[in-house]
Amino acid sequence: MKLINLIFVFSLFFLITACGGSGKKKTVSTDQKISLPETDLEKGAVLYRAKCMNCHMKSGKGIEKFYPPLAGSNYLSENLEEAIYMVKFGSNKPIKVNGVKYNSLMPASGLTDEELVLVFNYILNSWGNSYGSVTLDQVKAVKRK
Ligand code: HEC
């Protein structure tokens, strides 16, 4: 069993190096038009996978009529403050994303303001989105109504 594992690891290593891996760290795939530290985007991606992906999916496309898309979302690009509010405090009001109505529940994320900055900068700049970035001050300014 151990030997098989070893062989697997070695062949994996071989594959990676054979593919021209120059020892550079793999970066998160985003269409990065703004300059954010790569490590912050990676942290955002980790938070996304843990806290958002179940509903909004890996592709950011969501599930039509139940979970709205973040990829290409006009809601996210046009109502950033409101979007932050929803993720911070939860939401169950009817909204329209790319012309499709959604009225299901998104629970409050439970993330800190610092984590919200990371996850928002990730979703604003992933899957072809190029929606700018948010600052900690912007996230802090979003208070419960
Ligand atoms: C339990 C499923 C669920 C999880 C987990 C979840 N969401 Fe949502 N999200 C929803 C639903 C449902 C809506 C629409 C809410 C409504 O109708 O009021 C929504 C709406 C949104 C919107 C605004 C609409 C849009 O598509 O642009 C954003 C932005 C968003 N979510 C981001 C996130 C982020 C970031 C996370 C992780 C921190 C997250 N969501 C976690 C279900 C979820």
Side-chain angles (χ1 to χ4, degrees), residues 21-104:
S22 55
K24 257 197 237 148
K25 253 181 118 190
K26 176 96 182 69
T27 54
V28 187
S29 70
T30 62
D31 293 0
Q32 215 187 327
K33 300 236 165 58
I34 47 166
S35 62
L36 289 166
E38 214 103 89
T39 49
D40 280 6
L41 285 170
E42 276 170 29
K43 284 182 204 157
V46 169
L47 289 168
Y48 181 81
R49 279 184 230 121
K51 294 280 186 171
C52 324
M53 198 169 81
N54 277 351
C55 299
H56 293 288
M57 311 310 281
K58 192 170 183 214
S59 63
K61 290 202 176 97
I63 296 178
E64 201 171 88
K65 298 203 173 70
F66 293 103
Y67 302 128
L70 305 179
S73 161
N74 73 320
Y75 192 92
L76 180 60
S77 70
E78 291 160 19
N79 308 281
L80 180 57
E81 220 170 278
E82 195 55 35
I84 294 171
Y85 186 93
M86 291 165 73
V87 178
K88 215 168 169 175
F89 302 113
S91 174
N92 64 351
K93 57 172 189 163
I95 59 165
K96 242 187 189 180
V97 182
N98 299 342
V100 180
K101 254 187 155 173
Y102 293 87
N103 192 12
S104 15

